[in-house]
Amino acid sequence: MTETPESGYQVLARKYRPASFADLIGQDAMVRTLKNAFEADRIAQAFMLTGIRGTGKTTTARIIAKGLNCIGPDGQGGPTTDPCGMCENCVAIAEGRHVDVMEMDAASNTGVQNIRDAIIETVSYRAATARYKIFIIDEVHMLSTSAFNALLKTLEEPPAHVKFLFATTEIRKVPVTVLSRCQRFDLRRIEPEVMIAHLQKVAGLEGATIAEDALALITRAAEGSVRDAISLLDQAISHGAGETTADQVRAMLGLADRGRVLDLFEAIMGGDAAAALAELGAQYADGADPLAVLRDLAEITHWLSVIKITPEAADDPTAAPEERVRGRGLAGKLPMRVLTRMWQMLLKALEEVSLAPNAMMAAEMAVIRLTHVADLPTPGDLVKKLQDSPPPRAQAPARQPAAAPRGPEAQLVPPRAPSGGAQPVPALAPEASLARFPTFASVVAFLEEQRQIKLLVEVRHGIRLISYSPGRIAFRPADGASASLAADLGRFLTQATGARWGISVENAEGAPTLAEQADAEKAALEAELADHPLMQAVRDAFPAARITAIRSRESLAAEAGLDALPESEETDPDWDPFEDD
Ligand SMILES: [Zn+2]
């Protein structure tokens, strides 16, 4: 990397920020509706633009603002969906300095007070120089109740010279009273085909050559956000001289080779633990992040499940042709119950690996467990077994290992590595260091590897993650979080990784903290126990049966007057089918 990625980012993302509706990609429906409204002179008082981050909400708002106030190159034009980009209004709005276009961010602290005052005070005055006085309010769902009330008053009796352009990522948090007075546009995630074509165009304009499968990887990683895709493209182009290849992009994103992930997936589904471990080990040796490998396995599981239901999903443009063939084949072979089970177990494994002191060790344990997924009995099989054998407690059935459920969760919890850290952590090469952190979870895993216990606790309890990209973390501090958390984390990561990390505190709501997520998952596990195949089988076989208590082996032993229940698998006289050991 010869240039700093930051300067690269800014340049491309800004350079290709759409300036007109014609530049907006993948939002044809919205553009058509707007055009019709403008042409029929039925321009709404307020617009609500909603969609995930990076779909261009504020960019669209600025284009609408230009269209509303454009006077054309000759100074005589009216409102248009084709703003000229040259008149004084267009230029000033593009540069964010138009006196009649007020851009505010409800997610920032200062914004909230200002917005209420600005709405109350300035709405009654005419626009200073332009046709309309325009309020662009980003993350409008964050407004205080008093600001919403001020807004509502204005929207109920709208002065003709005022227009509102709202943007939000969380439409459900906007009061219906406000929503009902807006023309709403849902900005869609960009379809992969459209995104790949767009990236190709930008790369072409930049004089860069980048392989199509590399663009497919970027498209998949950007998850529908044009801005993210352009930033990644920018990084990818600055990485390589000559053609940028899929391998380079894969390394940049910290992804494993998808073909090899399919190999691993097949070994797991074939129940071949030795081959699966060998493949995982080989990928690790080649620098793949264990967490990313498991995430890819989850992605493949999801993809195959979708193909089973919608076979056309195999024609995913972000998948290489041979992957599509393999995808179709696997989806045809694997029953849905195996895929859903695999998915559940992978979600659990992902959490374990992200929390384990040694990610690779935990990943190996997870893979071993996953190799049993294909021979889990179906609820139907279990019922048959139950019906064929006497009721469990009446006689002492010999326990049949084949019928024993391989517990999805309770069993085989990966052991914690001793605190001395048995396995070496791969050394960090400075240029590759950011690529090692494709996700926030990988940062957390790194803190664990580095034994940053205090920081780790603060991160797990104090960070409500708002956004993450390698080298950048934005969060909202949870109640009680250390005031210096952002600074502490930034300092440590910058020192330990040799790359620059920007950690910012922002006011958006953010995700639940990791600690909260772990609590929620524990509750979900308890709920899932009720859905365990064996429990379902029991309910099917004995419809009147209900769960009255969940007991541990210890309490059962105490009831039986024993120190402990016998451990022998074959002769266990009191085998309890409710138990999952
Ligand atoms: Zn203009």
Side-chain angles (χ1 to χ4, degrees), residues 341-364:
R341 204 76 198 131
M342 179 82 169
W343 171 259
Q344 287 172 343
M345 293 173 72
L346 276 166
L347 287 189
K348 190 73 193 153
L350 277 167
E351 193 205 354
E352 284 169 7
V353 171
S354 68
L355 296 177
N358 183 308
M360 183 56 180
M361 216 184 257
E364 285 176 338

Side-chain angles (χ1 to χ4, degrees), residues 85-102:
M86 294 185 283
C87 70
E88 51 184 297
N89 289 332
C90 283
V91 171
I93 292 169
E95 290 173 3
R97 53 168 183 81
H98 197 294
V99 288
D100 290 318
V101 178
M102 272 143 289

Side-chain angles (χ1 to χ4, degrees), residues 66-67 69-73 80 82-91:
K66 275 196 271 187
N69 276 343
C70 178
I71 50 173
T80 171
D82 202 8
C84 69
M86 294 185 283
C87 70
E88 51 184 297
N89 289 332
C90 283
V91 171

